[in-house]
Amino acid sequence: MFTGIVSGLGRILSVDPLGDGPQHGKRLQIETPPGWLAGVQPGDSIAINGACMTVTRFDAPPAPAPGSFSVDVSAESLRLTAGLDRPGPVNLEQALRAHDRLGGHLVSGHVDGLGTVEVFEPVGESWLLAVRAPAALGRFLAVKGSITVNGVSLTVNRVDDAAEGCRFTINLIPHTLEHTTLGTLAPGAAVNLEVDLIARYVERMLAAGPGQPAAARD
């Protein structure tokens, strides 16, 4: 479980195939900021651009020395996400601990779909980000609700539904652009989206209809 508050900017250094066929995934080596891996162990979960991955090994001296770690990403995960199939900058977040502050919102690290950036432009001191999401995700989006874009917890300002997909907009403050990879976005870029966890449960309950009453107890 995560919060969508990016705690480090990393970089995918290498992407190596785990086999010869298209059914095989990739091994990513990811560089981290100095000291960022302190306390991280093999088997721990780390969100990479919003996708939860498992640390398989460290590729440099143990933390707190500067270093990198590796994850194995399945072919299915690569198909359903963006930005994990090539070297480049990524947003990093370590898994939430029970005593941590919940600065963003509850994030599972399971990407629900890919969005496409339609607008990314300055508006006053902030930047306007407009994303076209798959139509199936539209019912989970609400004004002032939460959405995760490439692992960053953000607040939705506007939602417009259409047959070709749901368009939502967000205002990004300079701090967010400086401390995440969102400042590198451009129209046409694919982004990882995760809808609000609570909205998913509400939608499921409404779709299922009224349940059966609990059995009486003696």
Side-chain angles (χ1 to χ4, degrees), residues 23-103:
Q23 73 275 19
H24 295 285
K26 308 284 186 182
R27 175 166 293 153
L28 312 184
Q29 183 186 9
I30 301 167
E31 183 181 45
T32 68
W36 193 85
L37 288 171
V40 177
Q41 301 294 326
D44 285 354
S45 295
I46 292 178
I48 306 170
N49 269 4
C52 178
M53 298 293 164
T54 300
V55 177
T56 57
R57 70 176 187 181
F58 298 106
D59 303 285
S68 62
F69 67 96
S70 289
V71 298
D72 292 346
V73 186
S74 69
E76 181 70 0
S77 292
L78 291 170
R79 184 180 70 84
L80 298 174
T81 60
L84 302 183
D85 58 347
R86 58 190 179 277
V90 288
N91 296 317
L92 299 176
E93 182 187 354
Q94 295 179 21
L96 176 68
R97 295 170 295 187
H99 63 278
D100 285 341
R101 290 187 178 93
L102 188 60

Side-chain angles (χ1 to χ4, degrees), residues 60-150:
S68 62
F69 67 96
S70 289
V71 298
D72 292 346
V73 186
S74 69
E76 181 70 0
S77 292
L78 291 170
R79 184 180 70 84
L80 298 174
T81 60
L84 302 183
D85 58 347
R86 58 190 179 277
V90 288
N91 296 317
L92 299 176
E93 182 187 354
Q94 295 179 21
L96 176 68
R97 295 170 295 187
H99 63 278
D100 285 341
R101 290 187 178 93
L102 188 60
H105 69 284
L106 290 175
V107 175
S108 66
H110 301 153
V111 175
D112 292 307
L114 295 179
T116 302
V117 175
E118 292 193 338
V119 178
F120 186 60
E121 61 186 19
V123 178
E125 75 285 355
S126 302
W127 282 69
L128 174 69
L129 173 64
V131 177
R132 179 74 63 178
L137 297 185
R139 65 185 182 276
F140 300 107
L141 302 177
V143 174
K144 305 304 180 184
S146 296
I147 183 73
T148 306
V149 179
N150 278 358

Side-chain angles (χ1 to χ4, degrees), residues 145-184:
S146 296
I147 183 73
T148 306
V149 179
N150 278 358
V152 184
S153 173
L154 300 167
T155 301
V156 176
N157 289 334
R158 178 172 176 173
V159 180
D160 297 300
D161 292 307
E164 65 274 15
C166 177
R167 187 178 191 263
F168 66 91
T169 61
I170 292 166
N171 279 352
L172 299 174
I173 62 174
H175 179 88
T176 301
L177 298 179
E178 292 169 6
H179 293 85
T180 71
T181 64
L182 298 186
T184 66

